[in-house]
Amino acid sequence: LGCKGIGNDEVIFEYRDKQNAKLLLSVFVDDLILISENNAVKNEFLSRLNSIFDFSGSEETGTFLGIRIVQDLHAGTITLSQEHFIEQMMEKFQISCLQKVQTVLPGIYVKSYHLDDELLNKSEIKTYQALLGTILYISNCTRVDASYATSLLSRFSRFPRKRDLSALYHLARYLHTTKHVCIVYHAKGVSFDGAVYHNELIAFSDASWGNEIESRRSQSGYGGVLNGGVVFFGSKLQKVIALSSSEAEIYSVSVCSKFVKLYRNLLMEMGFVQTRPTIILIDNEACIRLLWDKRAFSRVKHVDLRTKFSVNMVENGEIIPVKISTKFQPADLLTKVVSLSRWLDIASFLFGTELSL
């Protein structure tokens, strides 16, 4: 077909016609999404594709892998929503929708998940694993706010207990209560701290120090937004025990930096060169000093060995750590259960639109 792969994973390809007009396509098994500069290159590619495969398509994207994609040319926005997919999940697993919840997990579960409880039977374990897998897919696609909860509940997927299943049903009800939440990307970019960022990444990183009750390992939360909406994110329990909050933060930044590197390269290959260093929002002063001051790093050698990659990216002008108030740190959604007021304060930064519950 004359396509060239973009990035490390063979899921995005580029096609150019004789006039050098560009078409990008994303591939998942036998499903494709095309983005073209003009109709000529699109029609040429579809003609080539039709000469090899029988396929059906539509000018409007509609639903792709359970994600509703709506392009508004007048407003200059692209919206990703899984509202219908969430409704199907509730019906499939016969979960009552009458109870409305506004937190991802019950407060009592966050305080007691480490305590022993009765194990589920084989049938209940299958239900738990199937429902968790469905919610993981929703979280990984469009619901960054559910990432911490799925990270916590996944720790018990092999031998789940009664309280874990109850918490999982709570999370499902939360997703149904907030099913209208969607990601909105803006064609003109977004304003941040007095500057306009168009097709430019803004990243964020945080860590909840020692919040795992039994092992006292820390939870990392990181991600990046582009044109108003989140494009990558993660919430993971760190593999080591951090001896200070700044150490936990620097471990999270090092993981975030790797994703920033990957996405900067991907965007460059797609034709969107990142001309400025990518901002990484951090709410820990000591962590920022460690990234800027080589002498400070020399005094924490055990941290230095794990995070030199981030320091090199700062030196090379690829990232720049920027202080943000803890109140507005978007990564908090990925490291802990936050209150409704905090959720409303920071969610618009991740989803690209003002939200309400």
Side-chain angles (χ1 to χ4, degrees):
L1 292 173
C3 297
K4 179 185 74 172
I6 292 178
N8 297 323
D9 300 321
E10 293 186 352
V11 294
I12 302 177
F13 298 86
E14 178 187 286
Y15 174 84
R16 289 185 180 270
D17 63 10
K18 294 180 180 179
Q19 286 70 42
N20 207 36
K22 183 167 63 175
L23 175 145
L24 296 175
L25 63 148
S26 178
V27 181
F28 184 84
V29 189
D30 58 351
D31 292 312
L32 308 176
I33 288 183
L34 308 181
I35 304 172
S36 62
E37 291 184 349
N38 55 52
N39 286 328
V41 65
K42 180 195 70 175
N43 293 334
E44 179 180 312
F45 177 79
L46 290 178
S47 177
R48 282 194 171 200
L49 187 65
N50 192 45
S51 66
I52 302 174
F53 303 104
D54 291 327
F55 71 93
S56 60
S58 171
E59 290 290 329
E60 296 184 1
T61 306
T63 300
F64 182 75
L65 304 177
I67 305 170
R68 177 68 177 170
I69 305 175
V70 178
Q71 183 180 24
D72 187 332
L73 295 176
H74 178 72
T77 61
I78 295 177
T79 302
L80 306 184
S81 170
Q82 287 184 285
E83 181 173 350
H84 183 61
F85 190 85
I86 292 171
E87 291 175 345
Q88 289 179 327
M89 174 191 71
M90 301 297 284
E91 182 179 349
K92 175 181 177 181
F93 290 95
Q94 299 179 345
I95 303 172
S96 171
C97 304
L98 297 177
Q99 183 180 356
K100 306 297 182 181
V101 296
Q102 296 182 330
T103 57
V104 290
L105 290 172
I108 191 171
Y109 180 79
V110 176
K111 297 176 181 178
S112 63
Y113 68 83
H114 63 292
L115 301 177
D116 291 335
D117 195 12
E118 180 184 350
L119 294 174
L120 301 179
N121 59 42
K122 289 185 178 180
S123 175
E124 291 171 326
I125 290 175
K126 288 183 179 179
T127 299
Y128 183 91
Q129 293 172 341
L131 178 57
L132 179 61
T134 303
I135 292 179
L136 274 169
Y137 179 71
I138 295 171
S139 172
N140 290 336
C141 291
T142 63
R143 295 303 300 269
V144 56
D145 52 323
S147 291
Y148 171 70
T150 55
S151 172
L152 179 56
L153 292 169
S154 295
R155 300 173 200 172
F156 309 102
S157 60
R158 189 175 180 184
F159 299 110
R161 305 155 302 176
K162 295 288 186 181
R163 65 160 52 93
D164 302 321
L165 182 59
S166 177
L168 187 61
Y169 282 144
H170 180 100
L171 177 56
R173 292 189 179 98
Y174 164 79
L175 289 173
H176 187 265
T177 302
T178 59
K179 62 184 180 180
H180 62 282
V181 172
C182 55
I183 302 176
V184 181
Y185 299 100
H186 301 265
K188 295 181 180 179
V190 293
S191 297
F192 177 78
D193 198 25
V196 176
Y197 290 81
H198 178 238
N199 295 331
E200 290 185 78
L201 279 173
I202 300 176
F204 50 87
S205 173
D206 194 18
S208 187
W209 180 39
N211 73 331
E212 209 289 316
I213 298 175
E214 289 189 304
S215 69
R216 285 305 176 189
R217 290 187 288 167
S218 305
Q219 187 81 15
S220 289
Y222 55 87
V225 297
L226 183 73
N227 291 342
V230 65
V231 289
F232 73 86
F233 53 89
S235 176
K236 294 183 179 180
L237 192 66
Q238 294 180 1
K239 295 182 179 180
V240 297
I241 299 176
L243 301 180
S244 67
S245 60
S246 57
E247 183 179 341
E249 295 266 2
I250 204 74
Y251 289 156
S252 182
V253 170
S254 66
V255 177
C256 183
S257 299
K258 295 174 185 176
F259 279 94
V260 169
K261 182 81 170 180
L262 186 152
Y263 274 82
R264 283 176 66 92
N265 291 339
L266 177 62
L267 288 167
M268 180 180 66
E269 290 189 53
M270 294 174 67
F272 306 110
V273 178
Q274 304 294 285
T275 57
R276 294 185 283 192
T278 297
I279 289 175
I280 297 186
L281 304 175
I282 304 170
D283 62 6
N284 186 286
E285 291 277 8
C287 175
I288 294 175
R289 286 198 301 269
L290 286 172
L291 291 171
W292 282 113
D293 188 355
K294 284 186 176 181
R295 292 173 298 177
F297 249 107
S298 66
R299 295 190 292 271
V300 283
K301 190 173 182 179
H302 64 294
V303 179
D304 177 46
L305 294 174
R306 293 180 179 273
T307 57
K308 196 64 176 178
F309 180 79
S310 301
V311 177
N312 288 340
M313 288 188 68
V314 173
E315 293 176 348
N316 295 336
E318 295 177 274
I319 62 173
I320 180 170
V322 173
K323 181 70 168 67
I324 187 173
S325 169
T326 300
K327 179 181 179 181
F328 300 108
Q329 172 59 277
D332 267 4
L333 275 178
L334 297 157
T335 61
K336 58 179 74 73
V337 177
V338 301
S339 64
L340 175 60
S341 59
R342 285 294 311 282
W343 192 96
L344 293 173
D345 282 339
I346 59 184
S348 60
F349 179 82
L350 299 171
F351 292 102
T353 184
E354 293 296 326
L355 298 171
S356 61
L357 292 182

